[in-house]
Amino acid sequence: EDQGDWLKAEGLFGRAITADPSSSVAAHSLARILLEHRDKVDMADSYFQRSVDGTPQVAEYQFAYAHFLETQRKDLVSAQVMYQRTLMLDPQHVGALSNLGN
């Protein structure tokens, strides 16, 4: 992987959020880049929260934040709440069902 590509993507999603602060798609994408490719956990957290708050009806955003809370923050109580929200939106969500079962 070329780190320069991830830096460029980070900049592009950052500009998308500047242009449209309510863009949950851009916030979610930026959160994943910051976490998975830039190791910026605190910044990723804020963008995961923005994506969840901006579009609470998107199960995948709820799940991604739940997984983040569980694996990065070790906040199992909050993660469980987010997994439950995921299942309210998508009762068959395999990841949420699996993670709640562990």
Side-chain angles (χ1 to χ4, degrees), residues 7-34:
L7 287 170
K8 184 176 180 180
E10 180 182 343
L12 291 171
F13 282 116
R15 284 198 293 279
I17 291 168
T18 299
D20 180 4
S22 67
S23 175
S24 295
V25 172
H28 179 78
S29 299
L30 183 54
R32 301 219 27 175
I33 289 168
L34 291 168

Side-chain angles (χ1 to χ4, degrees), residues 1 8 15 29 46 55 64 70:
E1 293 180 16
K8 184 176 180 180
R15 284 198 293 279
S29 299
S46 70
T55 51
E70 180 181 4

Side-chain angles (χ1 to χ4, degrees), residues 35-102:
L35 179 63
E36 296 170 14
H37 302 284
R38 305 279 290 127
D39 199 30
K40 294 183 177 181
V41 175
D42 290 336
M43 287 180 67
D45 192 344
S46 70
Y47 286 107
F48 274 126
Q49 286 181 27
R50 283 175 76 160
S51 70
V52 166
D53 292 343
T55 51
Q57 72 278 15
V58 178
E60 200 54 41
Y61 294 172
Q62 304 293 321
F63 175 76
Y65 192 43
H67 188 259
F68 171 85
L69 291 168
E70 180 181 4
T71 60
Q72 300 298 314
R73 296 295 191 204
K74 309 299 184 211
D75 183 348
L76 302 181
V77 173
S78 296
Q80 185 173 25
V81 169
M82 297 306 293
Y83 286 134
Q84 291 291 347
R85 286 187 190 174
T86 303
L87 291 173
M88 287 173 37
L89 296 166
D90 179 2
Q92 303 303 313
H93 193 285
V94 174
L97 289 168
S98 175
N99 289 1
L100 276 174
N102 291 334

